[in-house]
Amino acid sequence: MKFLDEFRAPDAAQGMIERIHRLAARCDDVTFMEVCGTHTMSIYRHGIRQLLPPNVRMLSGPGCPVCVTPNAFLDRAIALARLQHFVVATFGDMMRVPGSSSSLREEKAWGCDVRVVYSTLEALTIARENPTRQVVFLGVGFETTAPTIGAAILEASATRVRNFSVLSAAKLIPPAMAALVADPALRVHGFLCPGHVSVVIGSEPYDFLARDHGMPCVIAGFEALDILQGIVMLLQQVVEQRAEVEIAYRRVVSPGGNPAARRILDDVFEASDSTWRGLGVLARSGLRIKPELRDHDAARFEVDVEPTREHPGCACGDVLRGIKTPFDCKLFGKVCTPDDPVGACMVSSEGTCAAAWRYGRDLG
Amino acid sequence: MCLAVPMKVTSIQGDRARASLGDVEREIGIAMLPDVQVGDYVIVHAGFAIQRLDEQEAFETLELFRQMAELDDQDGRPS
Amino acid sequence: MGGILDKRAPAILLDHGSGGRASRRLVEETILPHLRNTLLDRLDDAAVLSLDGARLAFTTDSYVVDPIFFPGGDIGMLAVHGTINDLAMSGARPVALSAGLILEEGLPLADLDRVMASMARAAKAAGVPIVTGDTKVVARGAADKIFINTAGIGVVPPGVDISGHHGRPGDAVILSGPIAEHGVAILSTRAGLSFASSCKSDTAPLAALVAEMLDACPAIHSLRDPTRGGLAATLHELASQSRVRIEIDEAAIPISEAAASACEMLGIDPLHLANEGVLVALVPSEHAASVVDAMHANPLGGSARVIGKVVDGDPLVVMRTMVGGKRMVALPSGQPLPRIC
């Protein structure tokens, strides 16, 4: 597979791992946070943790949009799914996530029309093919996904697909990173920054981390060699006592990002305060659909939503902030497993706890 | 939140294109890349092309990996 | 299912049918407790009964695949091959099949005709006749087009004792061919996944391949075909039944570029996707090379190779990744779902 296989070549990986060991020998203990959930998954998928020297630790951050979306959103989605003429279309990632008392896959089993789509354009097609039903797409994602949601809304508006709407839960990464770096409990020496979010936003939004907080940042891709390269570059910054924002993922990330994608965001959304599981309410960290596109905003539907309940022992919030690892959570593996997930971190396809459960236990 | 794959654009129809990864072809949205051309490699996320893949940068990155893999001086940089 | 989701009476979910953890729990917690007996409890692909000195393998399987016609095959062909394969996984020579049809009102007769023609062709080509059957019709909506149950009987040759419980530390883990072809072929036709892939189902009868493997090594320990739940589920079953640890090498696992590409695009692990013409064997290490050679001589075993080994340890499946790391291969929770994260 072109532009994938080459970035997984074993001999190049071996060399980079050796370089990581040599650089690490010149540091004290370092911890880097990989912000993006897809990085967490890729690190586990390729078994990268086992290859790192003992004094280099990777900590998972809150970059899992499913994990940071609070129960209330899912409860509202479920309430809409239960309405007679509604179809809820969603990315597969959301299907098994537990809300306060149910999940989308349970609702589907009970007869609600819930459909998994790979793209917002498929949800739009469902709306076109079912003109008497209201199709609500669950708009969960960060800056990588938000323009795809925006593009579907613009197309729905332009082609008068009146029965298509989005329940937006889109969130922005830089405010979350600002909250992380301001948290005294967090001890990291650098950030592995999300490669595909950066495709859209460029590198400039991370500058404050290096400039104001002395935090090394490397924007990395997702293949094994990309991640190893990112770790090499972070270690180099630490060893050389630099704090810069560097782009490792140069084949798709440029400092200016993708202006056309950002124009779509500006046309469709406005920044709003948003609640993040684990981080609380962050100012201007979410995307709300603009009033002029209200016809495609599913937030306008009045529906009874059950009172939000969070499980008392659930430590997803702390795990997402990097304060606890999955293994520190009292429920991990006992009460909370992928079959019976308590929190989103366990059931999200890239949730930190799911990755730890699936890939990281018992690796003696 | 960023699963995306490199694909090659094989044809364009308005706001849509067809792209392939190896033998697998699918329809994608190109609203985020209005200037995309047939033959371009693009990164596709959730059914949309989000950026062109710069082949020159890709080759240079692979070359850099190759260099990083070679023995070097104490500073961990190529000698 | 328990925990905070248990607000209404527990009910069957689609995940229960996908061959992963949910399926296993359903069988172990809701079905087996009623039916326990020595043969059933072994949970091998077929039960081997001793009858007057002969050993008879007996198995059944139901086929509910949707769509009923897919690239490379159809539900009829699957129903014949799948049950032949379950017999073959006990080392049996398949002798005969039964076929029970449940037809949904409204199923076009032309479709039924096409499925039956395909079943007949598959049975004939494999040399295993369908000797008895039944047909029922249910109201529209009470079934999905056509459901087929096939049961099969076969004879296990003397000296052959194959079971999921017989894996031993030191055994080689052998895979007969590329994975995920069937799973990708099915996904490529589902509504909402709109891509054209050249992946065709690999549905095929494996009895002849197994017979040739047994000629090379009558003492094969375990055989299993990784259908629902994929290679991951099968290796887990074998590890648990034999109480051993299985270690495999990602670089050794054959997969076509088309299947690999489709999985990358959807974010689905190819180890979780169904295969219908592939088998896994646990073979004493001293015989591994001769078994692989025998497999190469068969059209269905051309890409056969050793992908790992059985070692002592807790029942786990661990994989050495392409870049030399190590990760666990987990039992899939439920249906593979495409993801964007």
Side-chain angles (χ1 to χ4, degrees):
Chain A
M1 293 177 290
K2 195 159 182 198
F3 296 121
L4 280 179
D5 292 334
E6 309 92 314
F7 292 89
R8 297 173 183 174
D11 37 10
Q14 190 48 44
M16 285 171 66
I17 289 155
E18 281 164 21
R19 174 175 288 215
I20 288 173
H21 276 75
R22 278 195 301 276
L23 284 167
R26 305 170 56 204
C27 305
D28 293 329
D29 291 352
V30 285
T31 301
F32 299 129
M33 175 177 269
E34 86 266 2
V35 176
C36 172
T38 312
H39 271 146
T40 303
M41 273 298 278
S42 197
I43 286 169
Y44 271 111
R45 172 188 177 177
H46 295 291
I48 287 175
R49 269 186 175 72
Q50 279 68 41
L51 299 169
L52 297 177
N55 64 324
V56 176
R57 203 167 71 105
M58 297 303 296
L59 191 61
S60 305
C64 161
V66 170
C67 304
V68 296
T69 300
N71 279 2
F73 176 84
L74 206 32
D75 294 341
R76 178 166 289 272
I78 287 168
L80 289 170
R82 290 176 181 166
L83 295 177
Q84 191 68 311
H85 302 294
F86 278 67
V87 177
V88 167
T90 176
F91 294 130
D93 313 63
M94 293 295 287
M95 283 299 281
R96 297 197 188 103
V97 181
S100 297
S101 68
S102 182
S103 72
L104 288 167
R105 82 167 159 159
E106 308 267 297
E107 296 301 312
K108 185 175 159 77
W110 285 97
C112 296
D113 196 340
V114 177
R115 306 198 201 178
V116 172
V117 297
Y118 169 71
S119 149
T120 54
L121 297 179
E122 288 177 20
L124 197 50
T125 302
I126 293 172
R128 289 193 175 108
E129 290 171 354
N130 293 270
T132 59
R133 323 272 311 278
Q134 180 67 230
V135 176
V136 174
F137 178 77
L138 303 185
V140 175
F142 294 117
E143 291 96 328
T144 326
T145 317
T148 76
I149 299 171
I153 290 174
L154 289 174
E155 189 173 315
S157 177
T159 57
R160 300 208 205 298
V161 183
R162 293 186 211 282
N163 59 325
F164 175 80
S165 58
V166 170
L167 193 65
S168 179
K171 290 177 161 42
L172 304 171
I173 282 289
M177 294 182 77
L180 286 170
V181 87
D183 185 345
L186 182 68
R187 300 253 178 285
V188 296
H189 302 90
F191 286 109
L192 197 69
C193 296
H196 292 139
V197 163
S198 306
V199 159
V200 173
I201 69 176
S203 60
E204 186 264 321
Y206 307 107
D207 285 346
F208 76 98
L209 292 161
R211 185 190 61 227
D212 304 335
H213 299 276
M215 200 55 80
C217 293
V218 174
I219 300 171
F222 297 90
E223 298 310 317
L225 292 183
D226 290 319
I227 292 171
L228 291 172
Q229 181 197 10
I231 296 173
V232 166
M233 289 169 69
L234 281 169
L235 282 168
Q236 275 170 336
Q237 289 202 36
V238 167
V239 162
E240 292 162 22
Q241 297 183 313
R242 286 182 288 123
E244 291 167 23
V245 177
E246 293 182 297
I247 302 175
Y249 196 19
R250 295 167 61 100
R251 59 194 187 277
V252 287
V253 177
S254 59
N258 180 336
R262 289 202 302 280
R263 263 195 304 277
I264 293 174
L265 293 182
D266 289 338
D267 287 344
V268 176
F269 298 104
E270 51 194 23
S272 65
D273 295 351
S274 183
T275 308
W276 294 59
R277 191 189 304 268
L279 299 175
V281 178
L282 299 183
R284 301 177 57 77
S285 67
L287 291 177
R288 173 175 61 204
I289 297 170
K290 285 179 149 163
E292 52 265 41
L293 287 164
R294 188 175 187 272
D295 287 346
H296 299 288
D297 187 351
R300 75 182 191 278
F301 296 122
E302 306 246 340
V303 65
D304 281 328
V305 182
E306 63 185 305
T308 310
R309 271 181 16 187
E310 309 276 350
H311 193 289
C314 176
C316 277
D318 286 345
V319 170
L320 288 164
R321 286 161 65 216
I323 305 305
K324 283 200 168 119
T325 72
F327 305 97
D328 296 329
C329 173
K330 293 190 181 45
L331 306 181
F332 178 79
K334 307 183 190 72
V335 174
C336 183
T337 65
D339 291 340
D340 291 318
V342 172
C345 298
M346 179 57 86
V347 73
S348 164
S349 50
E350 56 173 26
T352 307
C353 297
W357 171 274
R358 246 185 261 128
Y359 300 120
R361 288 173 304 138
D362 303 320
L363 269 182
Chain B
M1 69 278 200
C2 294
L3 207 61
V5 287
M7 299 182 78
K8 186 169 183 175
V9 177
T10 54
S11 64
I12 296 178
Q13 306 83 27
D15 235 357
R16 302 282 195 273
R18 289 202 70 82
S20 65
L21 172 62
D23 264 345
V24 184
E25 222 201 27
R26 89 182 300 277
E27 188 182 73
I28 60 172
I30 54 170
M32 292 163 75
L33 277 190
D35 302 327
V36 72
Q37 313 272 321
V38 171
D40 281 350
Y41 279 91
V42 293
I43 294 284
V44 176
H45 166 76
F48 278 81
I50 63 172
Q51 188 54 281
R52 279 180 62 252
L53 189 149
D54 186 329
E55 296 185 56
Q56 185 55 35
E57 287 285 6
F59 294 132
E60 284 177 20
T61 301
L62 290 170
E63 179 55 29
L64 181 65
F65 290 165
R66 223 184 39 76
Q67 287 172 20
M68 276 191 182
E70 278 158 16
L71 276 177
D72 49 32
D73 65 25
Q74 267 193 325
D75 282 345
R77 270 184 284 197
S79 33
Chain C
M1 307 300 298
I4 63 169
L5 301 181
D6 198 16
K7 281 292 155 186
R8 286 166 293 208
I12 294 293
L13 301 171
L14 278 179
D15 284 340
H16 287 126
S18 57
R21 257 200 311 275
S23 300
R24 187 156 85 167
R25 282 180 60 179
L26 180 70
V27 169
E28 286 173 4
E29 293 171 17
T30 311
I31 297 175
L32 269 192
H34 292 289
L35 300 175
R36 307 222 90 100
N37 61 67
T38 344
L39 276 177
L40 182 62
D41 289 352
R42 291 176 75 73
L43 289 181
D44 275 327
D45 283 341
V48 177
L49 303 140
S50 290
L51 281 180
D52 295 342
R55 286 184 302 151
L56 201 66
F58 177 33
T59 187
T60 185
D61 222 327
S62 298
Y63 298 86
V64 299
V65 68
D66 177 44
I68 60 176
F69 303 110
F70 44 83
D74 57 70
I75 189 174
M77 192 185 298
L78 214 60
V80 168
H81 294 159
T83 295
I84 286 176
N85 292 347
D86 279 346
L87 291 170
M89 296 306 123
S90 298
R93 175 178 58 84
V95 166
L97 298 175
S98 70
L101 310 178
I102 298 177
L103 308 174
E104 182 190 16
E105 178 187 17
L107 175 72
L109 285 178
D111 286 356
L112 178 60
D113 198 67
R114 199 171 145 194
V115 169
M116 295 318 299
S118 178
M119 282 187 87
R121 260 194 315 272
K124 184 158 184 214
V128 185
I130 298 171
V131 299
T132 182
D134 177 69
T135 304
K136 293 281 184 298
V137 176
V138 295
R140 195 181 294 269
D144 185 11
K145 303 183 267 290
I146 173 172
F147 293 156
I148 303 179
N149 170 276
T150 45
I153 54 171
V155 176
V156 181
V160 167
D161 192 9
I162 295 183
S163 164
H165 297 263
H166 292 172
R168 294 288 169 269
D171 285 353
V173 179
I174 298 177
L175 182 62
S176 67
I179 60 169
E181 299 287 309
H182 178 81
V184 168
I186 297 294
L187 284 176
S188 73
T189 57
R190 284 258 159 77
L193 296 180
S194 52
F195 58 97
S197 157
S198 59
C199 259
K200 295 207 289 236
S201 172
D202 57 346
T203 175
L206 296 168
L209 176 64
V210 168
E212 286 160 31
M213 290 165 69
L214 287 170
D215 280 342
C217 171
I220 290 178
H221 289 158
S222 310
L223 288 172
R224 189 142 304 171
D225 58 336
T227 53
R228 291 174 320 168
L231 185 60
T234 291
L235 291 176
H236 261 276
E237 282 164 21
L238 292 172
S240 292
Q241 286 182 303
S242 296
R243 304 174 107 69
V244 291
R245 176 163 151 149
I246 291 181
E247 295 182 348
I248 59 174
D249 197 348
E250 186 174 27
I253 298 173
I255 180 168
S256 71
E257 173 149 345
S261 306
C263 289
E264 288 292 340
M265 279 174 48
L266 297 173
I268 287 179
D269 188 341
L271 294 179
H272 292 175
L273 288 180
N275 310 274
E276 294 288 341
V278 161
L279 61 79
V280 172
L282 301 183
V283 173
S285 55
E286 62 272 23
H287 296 292
S290 62
V291 171
V292 171
D293 283 343
M295 293 168 86
H296 285 164
N298 183 299
L300 294 173
S303 329
R305 63 184 83 148
V306 174
I307 62 163
K309 59 184 191 286
V310 176
V311 298
D312 235 326
D314 287 337
L316 287 181
V317 182
V318 178
M319 184 164 79
R320 181 172 191 273
T321 70
M322 272 185 288
V323 292
K326 241 197 317 188
R327 67 149 166 114
M328 274 181 44
V329 173
L331 197 55
S333 318
Q335 290 178 294
L337 292 172
R339 56 190 185 97
I340 61 129
C341 287

